[in-house]
Amino acid sequence: MSSRQQGAPPVPVHLGSPVSKRELKCQLGGDGGPTGWDATPGQHQASMRYLDVVGLRVKYKGPGSDDRDAASIRSNNPIPKGCPVYYFEVEIINKGRDGYIGIGLSRKDVKLDRLPGWEPHSYGYHGDDGHVFNGRGTGRPYGPIFTTGDWIGIIYNRIEKTLTFTKKGFQLGVAFRDVEEETLYPTVGFRTPDEEVAVNFGDDLERRPFKGDYEAILESVMSNLHTQILDTKIPGSSDIIAELVFDYLKHHGYWETAQAVGEDVLKGRNQISESTKEESMALYSATEYVMGGDIDKAMASAEELCPGILDENPSIAFALKCQKLCELIRDKKDDDAMEYGRQELTQSCSTSEDRVLMEKVLTLFAYSDPASSPSGDLLSTAYKTELAASLARALRKHLGKREVSTLEEMYRQACVLGELLHQMEDPAAALINVRIFVDEKGA
C-alpha cells in the first residue's frame, strides 16, 4: 500500500454549491450521457455472474480467489463527445474483504473480467494501494487508499485530455495525461467478496446532488482556458493590435484617440487625412439626423455626401419617408402628415414590403399616443438605430468603404467559428461563447 503522494497538499473542492442549468448542460453534454449501469447478462456474462446490480449500486459476490475472479461494469452510455468536463462520483459502501476496488474509464471493447486500468484503453485508480493503472497490471503511486465511507470523484477534462480523481472533495492531482480515446465509459471493477459501491452519474442532480462542487471544477477549467486564450502570443502582435485599434477608432470617428495611437504606438506611420475626416463626419451627421427624427436633413445630408444614393436604395428611401410621417404623427401635425402621405408615400410605395410598412405607419393616426400603440416601435430608439445603420451601410458601400472595421469583422468571424466548433462537438467550444467572453474580459 502507498501513502498519500508526496508534494503539494491536495486542493480542496468546495462542497455544497448548486449546479446551475448551464453547468448541468455542460456536465451532461446534452442528451445521451450515462444514466445507469450496463448490466446486460448476455453481453457481459463472464463478469456479471459475480455482480449484483440494483439501480446504481453494485456488489461483488464472486469468490475473489485471484485476479481471474475480477469483474468490472461499465455505464449504459458513453460520455458525450461534446462534453468538455465530465464528472461523476462513486461512494464506497463497503470495501469488502481486501478493498480491491478500481474506479475509472474504459473503452467499450475493453474486457470486463479485469479491473479498470489493467487493459489498453482503460484507466483506473485502485483503492487497495492508491495506485493508478493504464494498460498494464503494474500501477504507479498516485494517491491515498480508499475504503468504506469514502467517496471518489472522477474529473475527465476532455479539453486538456486529463483524468483527475478526488477523495472526499480533495483533488489528488492529474492521474493521466494525453487521454486520447474518443469514446469512454465510466467503469468500476471489483476483486474480493462484499465490495460494494454506489454511483452518481449526475443525470438527476435535483434528486441526487453531487457531494463535490462540480461548478467550482468547471469554473477552474474555464478560467484556465480563458487564461490560455489571453496568453496566446501573436507574431508581431504589438503592431497588429495597434493597427486594429487604429482602424477601429478611425472607422467610428474617434479622431483624436486614433491620432494618438497613430503617433505614439505606430510612430506616425498611420495618418488620418482631412478628407477622410470630413467624409466620416458627414456620414455620422446623416445617421444622427435619423436618430433625432429630422428626416429631411438626414436625406439631404446623404444626398450631399453620395449623390443618387436614395435612388440607388429605394427601400431605404421609402423607409426614411415613412419615418418622417411617423414623426409628423407623433408631433400631432395631422394635416401635414396626411398631405405628406398622399404626395410622397402613395407615389413611392412600389413593393409588398413597402405596402406592409406603410399600412403599419398609417395605423398611428388612430391613437392619441402613437408611441404606446401596437405600431409604436416605429418611434422607438431601437428602430431608429437600425434604420440609421441601414443608411450608414448604404453610404459606406457607395463610398467603397467597409461596412465594419477590421476588428469588428474579426469578431464576427470568431463568433461564427465558435458556432461551427460547437456544432462539430469540440469540447472547448461548449465553454467559450465569444460574445460573452469579450464582454466579460472587456476586450
Side-chain angles (χ1 to χ4, degrees), residues 313-385:
N313 297 273
S315 61
I316 294 177
F318 186 77
L320 288 168
K321 292 177 181 179
C322 284
Q323 194 60 33
K324 178 178 178 178
L325 181 57
C326 290
E327 302 292 342
L328 291 171
I329 296 172
R330 185 193 61 181
D331 295 340
K332 307 297 183 183
K333 298 178 180 179
D334 290 351
D335 292 341
D336 291 343
M338 293 180 69
E339 182 64 21
Y340 182 78
R342 280 195 297 267
Q343 289 186 358
E344 294 292 338
L345 294 192
T346 55
Q347 294 180 15
S348 55
C349 181
S350 60
T351 67
S352 58
E353 289 81 5
D354 290 347
R355 284 189 290 274
V356 170
L357 178 58
M358 184 174 67
E359 290 172 2
K360 185 175 181 180
V361 172
L362 294 176
T363 62
L364 295 174
F365 278 110
Y367 295 89
S368 58
D369 182 13
S372 62
S373 71
S375 299
D377 62 294
L378 295 171
L379 294 166
S380 68
T381 300
Y383 180 80
K384 292 180 183 179
T385 299

Side-chain angles (χ1 to χ4, degrees), residues 400-426:
K401 296 183 179 297
R402 290 172 287 121
E403 178 184 330
V404 297
S405 67
T406 303
L407 184 61
E408 290 167 301
E409 186 62 37
M410 291 174 64
Y411 170 73
R412 290 181 177 183
Q413 292 175 358
C415 290
V416 172
L417 179 60
E419 291 297 323
L420 289 174
L421 289 172
H422 187 72
Q423 293 172 15
M424 295 167 61
E425 296 185 320
D426 182 278

Side-chain angles (χ1 to χ4, degrees), residues 10 36 43 108 137 199 205 210 232 257 305 325 380:
Q43 256 184 304
K108 192 172 184 177
V199 69
L205 292 177
F210 284 136
T232 299
T257 309
L305 179 62
L325 181 57
S380 68

